[in-house]
Structures are given as C-alpha cells and as structure tokens.
Amino acid sequence: MRPPRRTRRILLVLVVMLALVPVAVSPGSAAPHHPAAPTIPGRPGTPEPRITGTRPLGGRAVELAVYSAAMGREIPVRVLPAEDSTAAAPVLYLLNGITGGSDGGNWFDRTDLAEFFGSEQVTVVNPIGGAGSYFTDWRGDDPVLGRQRWSTFLTAELPPLIDAAYRGSGANALAGVSMAAASVFQLALAAPGRYRALGSYSGCVRTSDPQGRAVVEVVVRSNGGNPLNMWGPPQDPAWSDNDPFLHAGKLRGLALYVSAGTGTPGALDTLEGPGIRRNPGKLLDQLLIGGALETVAAQCTARLGERLHELGIPATVALRPDGTHSWGYWQRELHDSWPLFAAALRR
C-alpha cells in the first residue's frame, strides 16, 4: 500500500540532511561500464504496442490509451498535437515527477502547456504513470508497482506510434521534473540518437553514490516499491550503469538545459501563487517541504553543471536565486528552455 502523497513528500525530506553532507567522490573516477542488467521481455503472445483508444481533453489536446507490450498494460498518454496537423512536426516528451502524474501532478493539469504551445509546430507528449519507477526498465516485477519497463516503452514502443499518428519528423526532445530530471539522462543514454535536447528541472542526477542511492531508495519505497527489483542491491553494477553523472561524456552533442532554485521562497511562493488557491496549508507545504527538496536539487544541479564544464560539454545551467520544488517554477523553466529545444529540433 502506498502512503499518501503528503507522507511521500515528508519521507523525501528525510534524506535532505544526508544529501547535504559532502561526499568525497572524484568526478573523473567513473566506474567502468558494465553490461546492462538482464531485461524482462513482455509475456509471449502479447499484442504489439498500439494505440487502443482516444479521449478528448479540450481544444486540440487528447488522451491516448497506449498498450505497452513490454509492460502488458495500457498507459495513458496525453498529447497536444502540433498546430498544423498536415505538416510534419518534432515531438517534445515531458515526464512527471514522483507520483507519475495520475494524481493531477502532471504537465497538462499543473501548467499552461496547452496555451504556451498553442501556436507552435511541435507535438507535446506527456505519459501518465510510473510513480516511483525512475522511468527505467526494472529487472524484476514488483509486488506493489508491478512490471516496470518504462525505458522500453518511452524509447522503443511509444515514439513510432506517436510519429505515425501525428506525422513526427524524427526530431525529439525530452524534459522532466524532480524524479524524472534524472530519468531524462538515463533514457538518452539508453537510446543514443533518440533525442536532440534534454531538460532537467529540479533533480538529482547521481544514483550510485551514497547520497544518490539514499534519494532513489526513498523515492521508490515511498511509492511502495522495492529498489532491489529495480537495480538490485547497492553493490550491483546496475546502479553505476544508470548513473548519468558517471557517463556524462556520452551526452556530448545534445542540447542540455538543467535548472534548480535554492529553496528560498520566491515570487511564486505566496497565497496567490500557482496551485495554492489561497490555501495556507498548501503554501506551508510548498515552503517547508518544497523548500527543503529544492535545496537538495540546487546542490545536485550545481555538481552536474561542474561535471559538464569539466568535460567541456556545453550546457545551459540555470541556478536560480530562489524558488521551491513546485510546478509554478517548472512551468517557468519549460518556457525558458523552449528556445534551446526549438533550435535543436530544427537542426
């Protein structure tokens, strides 16, 4: 049984003190790359991946039911088609955070996505689900979370379906928040050539050092999952295999945008702020829990920026002077990163 959303957020804060403790790890001492952990194919005889249904959401937006053969179930996928449906268009994939978005914490419900991209020739895709999964391929089925084969779904199953249904041009970008801010790099490393641009907002990319493992453990367990079913025990090479910090050199050539606030209250952390609706309880949660989480994200983002700089990999690293771990700021980051993505998608 999964704990309530607020409890999950509080559990995440429990790793803050650990994440703030410096750990002496040389960025240049990346562990050797090991073969990926064995994967679990879909059940024999399952149907091919396909779109099984469409539900209108208003305006151009729709929600697709997409059958994943790898996971053996339908995945809700929200889509805002490009303005001109008769012309080819690139695709921007947006990933949600720790809850997977099924609780309303997703790009369509919490941002002005439909308005912002209303006149853009780009198809925007937002899969719903994957709470606590890191959007990766788990090595074993989990008693609570079930079969998690998100890397296969997002990089191999879904893109051909989207391109066929919405005249995809073959140019893709990927961005994600919080938990998914690490996943975007993992997915790009798992599928070289799939994406031209990556956006990572308010996340911790490291997964295999003590701090990173602690964050991953809490994210997965707070959703009822067992990390042993994802990457095995802490000493298993799958943890370093899935640590983008160690393999950052392979990100060369991609347009990169990483950002975080500091946790200090900013202009959007008020009773009139996005999503608060003058609710003091929501504001307090955003200030205390969202502030603590963003403090950790700020340090993680700074370390990643330093790592990319050491490797000579160009990246936009936006370290904001304030701001909490919340959707209002992630909407702003999407707006600010879009010109970089758009340029990469036009190449």
Side-chain angles (χ1 to χ4, degrees), residues 36-38 132-140 142 148 151 179 182-183 186-187 204-209 212-213 215-217 220 226-244:
S133 70
Y134 271 88
F135 298 108
T136 189
D137 280 0
W138 289 36
R139 62 172 46 185
D142 189 85
Q148 303 293 316
S151 181
M179 174 188 78
S183 304
Q186 294 165 352
L187 291 164
C204 282
V205 168
R206 295 220 64 175
T207 60
S208 63
D209 69 333
R213 286 199 304 270
V215 173
V216 172
E217 284 268 347
V220 174
N226 186 341
L228 292 175
N229 295 321
M230 184 167 71
W231 294 330
Q235 67 273 17
D236 194 288
W239 287 81
S240 59
D241 289 344
N242 286 280
D243 190 335

Side-chain angles (χ1 to χ4, degrees), residues 46-63:
T46 53
E48 291 296 312
R50 65 194 190 281
I51 297 172
T52 60
T54 304
R55 179 173 69 90
L57 295 177
R60 296 203 309 267
V62 297
E63 181 174 287

Side-chain angles (χ1 to χ4, degrees), residues 74-136:
E74 290 183 345
I75 307 297
V77 177
R78 295 188 174 184
V79 178
L80 180 71
E83 181 184 30
D84 183 357
S85 62
T86 67
V91 182
L92 170 62
Y93 291 89
L94 297 177
L95 300 182
N96 305 312
I98 184 173
T99 69
S102 57
D103 64 342
N106 61 69
W107 285 99
F108 273 78
D109 291 342
R110 298 299 300 274
T111 74
D112 65 351
L113 180 152
E115 179 183 355
F116 182 73
F117 289 103
S119 60
E120 296 284 349
Q121 187 59 17
V122 61
T123 297
V124 184
V125 177
N126 179 210
I128 305 296
S133 70
Y134 271 88
F135 298 108
T136 189

